[in-house]
Amino acid sequence: MTEKEYKKLVQSLAPRSPIWKDCINAFWIGGLICTLGQLIMNGYLALEMEKMDASCATSMTLVALAAILTGFSIYDDIAKFAGAGTLVPITGFSNAVSAPAVEFKTEGFVLGVGAKMFTIAGPVIVYGVSASVLYGVIYWICTMM
């Protein structure tokens, strides 16, 4: 069997992805998460926090909520339904850090939680920091001209 024939066979047997349904679910669940974030921020602002402090508290609250929901396996159910809609906001990063920690807790705190916690989020952190440094250097060069 040639590579083309194999590819054609796989495509004929693979289930079709409901891409439009997946996109709509990702859109509205992602929007719902962002709306929740805005409501939380409005709550902090109503408590007369400074805008910068309210923004920070909102981020921390969303990260904590996502970690708690991940611990109870609720965030995974939401992610199965919403797909990428749960990955884009800050809650997706929280889930990426806390999910391996929950999964490997039986191996102990050092070799389980500590070693596996950043298996998914580690590359995101590395490339995110690297990209921000690169963009910062480009911005600095452009402002110097």
Side-chain angles (χ1 to χ4, degrees), residues 33 35 46 70 73 84 109 112 115 122 129 134-135 142:
I33 292 170
T35 302
T70 298
S73 296
F109 284 110
V129 169
L134 178 65
Y135 298 146
C142 290

Side-chain angles (χ1 to χ4, degrees), residues 22 25-27 29-30 33 75 78-89 92:
D22 291 346
N25 287 341
F27 179 78
I29 293 292
I33 292 170
Y75 199 88
I78 297 168
K80 285 176 190 171
F81 177 75
T86 59
L87 295 177
V88 176

Side-chain angles (χ1 to χ4, degrees), residues 13-69:
L13 295 176
R16 296 278 180 221
S17 174
I19 192 156
W20 289 106
K21 182 181 138 244
D22 291 346
C23 288
I24 290 169
N25 287 341
F27 179 78
W28 78 268
I29 293 292
L32 196 62
I33 292 170
C34 293
T35 302
L36 175 65
Q38 186 63 54
L39 290 172
I40 292 169
M41 180 148 171
N42 290 349
Y44 285 130
L45 290 172
L47 294 174
E48 298 183 7
M49 284 182 130
E50 295 290 324
K51 187 169 182 157
M52 194 67 119
D53 294 337
S55 297
C56 184
T58 300
S59 295
M60 291 188 306
T61 303
L62 287 172
V63 166
L65 280 173
I68 291 167
L69 291 175

Side-chain angles (χ1 to χ4, degrees), residues 10 24 41 55 59 117 133 139 143:
V10 169
I24 290 169
M41 180 148 171
S55 297
S59 295
M117 189 180 306
V133 168
Y139 178 77
T143 58

